[in-house]
Amino acid sequence: MDEDATRADGGRQGGESGGAGTKPGRGPIAFVRWTRELEGCFLDHVSATGNISAAARAIGVSLSAVYYRHRTNAAFAAAWEQALDAGYRTIEARMIEHMLTAETFDWDKALRMLTQRTAYLKGGVARGGRERQVATADETDAVILRRLAMIAARKAGRRARATTGEGA
């Protein structure tokens, strides 16, 4: 694979780029070769806004690629959390500033983000939906044994019907 195809910023050497993380004429890229510079730009944007989606758009990377990086890279995940905390502190500061200066501010969005963050910090679900549940080994064993018993009963019933059907 050549250098152009794998560059995280999507730019071509000596050519024009469609923006950071994009190929000319295309949207955000899903596969990303993360660099310190790209991570830094993303984390700076998160620190300034508290908004993961906007930060991904700002660097031209798909949201799924950003979340994949978060799941698979512990150092990035830790830096993400620090940047997100800083972003929410920024939002809180802007809300206070707005109350003092009457500057234009998107209150609904800010309150939604703060509510989600508060739920996350309390151990709740940060995004919509139920929290993921993982079954214990005993629970999975019990389910498997019940299903095996059902299969055995079904086979026994078929044998009994076949036996009575043959004798008639």
Side-chain angles (χ1 to χ4, degrees):
M1 190 177 284
D2 67 352
E3 176 70 6
D4 290 342
T6 60
R7 286 192 47 192
D9 65 1
R12 300 199 178 272
Q13 288 181 325
E16 291 186 46
S17 170
T22 62
K23 296 278 185 183
R26 297 186 190 163
I29 55 177
F31 173 77
V32 179
R33 181 164 302 215
W34 287 92
T35 63
R36 286 185 190 144
E37 181 182 351
L38 191 63
E39 278 188 11
C41 289
F42 173 78
L43 295 170
D44 287 346
H45 201 281
V46 172
S47 292
T49 65
N51 188 328
I52 301 299
S53 298
R57 279 191 306 274
I59 63 169
V61 174
S62 71
L63 193 55
S64 61
V66 171
Y67 276 102
Y68 179 79
R69 178 74 168 174
H70 180 265
R71 283 191 314 273
T72 60
N73 186 302
F76 181 73
W80 166 310
E81 292 302 321
Q82 290 177 346
L84 199 53
D85 286 340
Y88 284 104
R89 286 192 302 273
T90 300
I91 292 170
E92 291 168 346
R94 288 192 66 204
M95 290 173 74
I96 293 168
E97 179 183 352
H98 174 73
M99 288 188 290
L100 300 174
T101 64
E103 171 188 319
T104 302
F105 191 80
D106 187 349
W107 282 96
D108 291 334
K109 187 175 184 177
L111 290 174
R112 273 194 317 273
M113 290 172 69
L114 290 173
T115 301
Q116 288 175 347
R117 185 65 179 166
T118 301
Y120 173 77
L121 291 173
K122 289 181 179 178
V125 179
R127 296 184 87 152
R130 292 183 357 186
E131 196 164 344
R132 192 168 136 186
Q133 295 179 350
V134 179
T136 65
D138 290 338
E139 291 169 334
T140 56
D141 288 350
V143 169
I144 291 169
L145 290 173
R146 274 196 308 268
R147 289 186 181 171
L148 288 172
M150 288 171 45
I151 291 169
R154 199 175 305 137
K155 282 185 177 182
R158 286 182 188 153
R159 283 190 200 124
R161 283 191 301 274
T163 303
T164 57
E166 289 177 1

